Protein backbone atom coordinates (compact mmCIF):
# COMPACT_ATOMS: atom_id res chain seq x y z
CA UNK A 1 0.00 0.00 0.00
CA UNK A 2 1.30 3.44 -0.92
CA UNK A 3 1.58 5.95 1.88
CA UNK A 4 -1.08 8.62 1.78
CA UNK A 5 0.02 12.11 0.80
CA UNK A 6 0.22 14.50 3.73
CA UNK A 7 -3.20 16.09 3.85
CA UNK A 8 -3.74 16.40 7.58
CA UNK A 9 -4.83 19.82 8.65
CA UNK A 10 -6.47 20.52 5.32
CA UNK A 11 -10.16 21.35 5.55
CA UNK A 12 -12.98 21.32 3.02
CA UNK A 13 -16.65 22.23 3.28
CA UNK A 14 -18.96 19.63 1.73
CA UNK A 15 -22.68 19.52 1.10
CA UNK A 16 -25.48 18.76 -1.29
CA UNK A 17 -27.27 21.50 -3.22
CA UNK A 18 -30.45 23.02 -1.80
CA UNK A 19 -33.03 21.13 -3.85
CA UNK A 20 -31.24 17.79 -3.63
CA UNK A 21 -31.69 15.17 -0.93
CA UNK A 22 -29.26 12.53 -2.27
CA UNK A 23 -27.25 11.62 0.82
CA UNK A 24 -25.33 8.48 -0.12
CA UNK A 25 -22.73 10.07 -2.41
CA UNK A 26 -22.30 12.90 0.08
CA UNK A 27 -21.42 10.49 2.88
CA UNK A 28 -19.16 8.38 0.65
CA UNK A 29 -17.25 11.47 -0.46
CA UNK A 30 -16.93 12.66 3.15
CA UNK A 31 -15.60 9.25 4.20
CA UNK A 32 -13.16 9.18 1.26
CA UNK A 33 -11.82 12.63 2.07
CA UNK A 34 -11.43 11.79 5.77
CA UNK A 35 -9.61 8.56 4.89
CA UNK A 36 -7.16 10.72 2.96
CA UNK A 37 -6.52 13.05 5.89
CA UNK A 38 -8.93 15.90 5.26
CA UNK A 39 -11.05 17.52 7.90
CA UNK A 40 -14.54 17.66 6.43
CA UNK A 41 -17.26 20.05 7.51
CA UNK A 42 -20.24 18.19 6.08
CA UNK A 43 -23.38 20.31 5.82
CA UNK A 44 -25.42 17.37 4.51
CA UNK A 45 -28.29 17.47 2.05
CA UNK A 46 -30.66 20.26 0.96
CA UNK A 47 -28.12 22.93 1.86
CA UNK A 48 -28.86 26.50 0.79
CA UNK A 49 -25.90 28.25 -0.78
CA UNK A 50 -25.93 30.84 2.03
CA UNK A 51 -25.20 27.99 4.48
CA UNK A 52 -22.04 27.15 2.51
CA UNK A 53 -21.03 30.82 2.76
CA UNK A 54 -21.76 30.86 6.50
CA UNK A 55 -19.63 27.73 6.95
CA UNK A 56 -16.82 29.34 4.98
CA UNK A 57 -16.95 32.36 7.26
CA UNK A 58 -16.68 30.03 10.29
CA UNK A 59 -13.81 28.15 8.58
CA UNK A 60 -11.92 30.75 6.51
CA UNK A 61 -9.02 28.34 6.02
CA UNK A 62 -11.16 25.92 4.04
CA UNK A 63 -9.48 24.95 0.80
CA UNK A 64 -12.71 24.57 -1.12
CA UNK A 65 -16.45 24.34 -0.97
CA UNK A 66 -17.62 21.07 -2.53
CA UNK A 67 -21.23 20.95 -3.68
CA UNK A 68 -22.90 17.80 -4.96
CA UNK A 69 -25.98 17.81 -7.12
CA UNK A 70 -27.55 14.67 -8.51
CA UNK A 71 -31.04 15.91 -9.42
CA UNK A 72 -29.80 18.13 -12.24
CA UNK A 73 -30.88 21.44 -10.72
CA UNK A 74 -27.42 22.76 -9.84
CA UNK A 75 -27.82 25.94 -11.87
CA UNK A 76 -31.04 26.86 -10.08
CA UNK A 77 -29.59 26.01 -6.67
CA UNK A 78 -26.44 28.07 -7.26
CA UNK A 79 -28.00 31.18 -8.81
CA UNK A 80 -27.07 33.28 -5.71
CA UNK A 81 -23.38 32.49 -6.13
CA UNK A 82 -22.52 35.75 -7.94
CA UNK A 83 -24.05 37.79 -5.11
CA UNK A 84 -22.20 35.81 -2.44
CA UNK A 85 -18.94 36.16 -4.38
CA UNK A 86 -19.49 39.92 -4.79
CA UNK A 87 -20.14 40.23 -1.05
CA UNK A 88 -16.89 38.38 -0.32
CA UNK A 89 -18.69 35.56 1.45
CA UNK A 90 -17.29 32.71 -0.67
CA UNK A 91 -13.67 33.41 -1.56
CA UNK A 92 -12.36 29.86 -1.79
CA UNK A 93 -12.76 27.68 -4.86
CA UNK A 94 -16.25 26.28 -5.40
CA UNK A 95 -16.28 22.80 -6.88
CA UNK A 96 -19.51 21.25 -8.14
CA UNK A 97 -19.95 17.62 -9.04
CA UNK A 98 -22.63 15.14 -9.93
CA UNK A 99 -25.40 15.36 -12.49
CA UNK A 100 -25.07 18.96 -13.56
CA UNK A 101 -28.24 19.32 -15.62
CA UNK A 102 -31.62 17.71 -16.15
CA UNK A 103 -31.79 15.03 -18.82
CA UNK A 104 -29.40 12.43 -20.08
CA UNK A 105 -27.71 14.62 -22.68
CA UNK A 106 -25.22 17.13 -21.33
CA UNK A 107 -23.92 20.02 -23.32
CA UNK A 108 -21.13 22.53 -23.06
CA UNK A 109 -23.85 25.14 -22.52
CA UNK A 110 -24.87 23.37 -19.29
CA UNK A 111 -21.29 23.54 -18.05
CA UNK A 112 -20.86 27.14 -19.22
CA UNK A 113 -23.97 28.29 -17.31
CA UNK A 114 -22.49 26.99 -14.04
CA UNK A 115 -19.05 28.44 -14.74
CA UNK A 116 -20.69 31.77 -15.57
CA UNK A 117 -22.30 31.77 -12.11
CA UNK A 118 -18.82 31.64 -10.58
CA UNK A 119 -18.29 27.91 -10.09
CA UNK A 120 -14.54 27.33 -10.33
CA UNK A 121 -14.46 23.64 -11.19
CA UNK A 122 -16.95 21.08 -12.45
CA UNK A 123 -16.24 17.44 -11.72
CA UNK A 124 -17.87 14.76 -13.83
CA UNK A 125 -16.18 12.04 -11.76
CA UNK A 126 -15.51 11.84 -8.01
CA UNK A 127 -12.12 10.24 -8.75
CA UNK A 128 -10.95 13.63 -9.99
CA UNK A 129 -11.59 15.31 -6.63
CA UNK A 130 -8.39 14.45 -4.73
CA UNK A 131 -6.07 15.36 -7.64
CA UNK A 132 -7.94 18.66 -8.06
CA UNK A 133 -7.70 19.47 -4.34
CA UNK A 134 -3.97 18.65 -4.39
CA UNK A 135 -3.47 20.88 -7.45
CA UNK A 136 -5.35 23.75 -5.79
CA UNK A 137 -3.36 23.26 -2.58
CA UNK A 138 -0.03 23.24 -4.44
CA UNK A 139 -0.98 26.43 -6.29
CA UNK A 140 -1.96 28.14 -3.03
CA UNK A 141 1.30 27.10 -1.33
CA UNK A 142 3.33 28.35 -4.31
CA UNK A 143 1.43 31.64 -4.28
CA UNK A 144 2.14 32.12 -0.56
CA UNK A 145 5.83 31.31 -1.05
CA UNK A 146 6.27 33.63 -4.00
CA UNK A 147 3.90 36.38 -2.97
Amino acid sequence: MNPLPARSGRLVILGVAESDSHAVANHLIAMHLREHGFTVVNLGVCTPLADFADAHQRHPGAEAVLIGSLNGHAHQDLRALPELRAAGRLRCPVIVGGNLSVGSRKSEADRRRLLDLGVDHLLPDADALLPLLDTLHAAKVAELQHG
Side-chain angles (χ1 to χ4, degrees):
M1 179 177 209
N2 294 331
L4 296 175
R7 294 184 177 116
S8 63
R10 294 172 58 189
L11 185 142
V12 294
I13 298 167
L14 172 69
V16 180
E18 184 171 6
S19 70
D20 199 318
S21 61
H22 290 90
V24 174
N26 171 267
H27 287 289
L28 292 173
I29 291 169
M31 288 172 45
H32 183 68
L33 289 167
R34 288 179 179 127
E35 287 173 359
H36 285 82
F38 284 90
T39 298
V40 179
V41 175
N42 191 352
L43 304 176
V45 300
C46 300
T47 305
L49 195 54
D51 288 2
F52 286 98
D54 292 344
H56 186 248
Q57 289 185 315
R58 287 191 305 274
H59 304 283
E63 291 189 11
V65 166
L66 314 172
I67 302 173
S69 178
L70 292 179
N71 67 6
H73 297 286
H75 185 268
Q76 178 182 346
D77 291 336
L78 300 176
R79 64 182 177 263
L81 185 56
E83 296 162 26
L84 292 170
R85 292 276 204 199
R89 295 191 60 212
L90 261 176
R91 294 177 190 228
C92 67
V94 173
I95 300 168
V96 177
N99 180 23
L100 302 178
S101 64
V102 176
S104 60
R105 301 183 87 184
K106 308 301 176 194
S107 71
E108 183 56 30
D110 297 326
R111 295 176 47 82
R112 174 57 36 210
R113 286 184 343 138
L114 288 165
L115 295 170
D116 288 346
L117 284 177
V119 172
D120 297 289
H121 301 278
L122 298 170
L123 289 182
D125 183 341
D127 289 339
L129 181 55
L130 287 176
L132 174 59
L133 290 172
D134 286 343
T135 298
L136 293 172
H137 181 74
K140 185 175 181 178
V141 168
E143 180 182 313
L144 291 173
Q145 290 175 341
H146 297 103

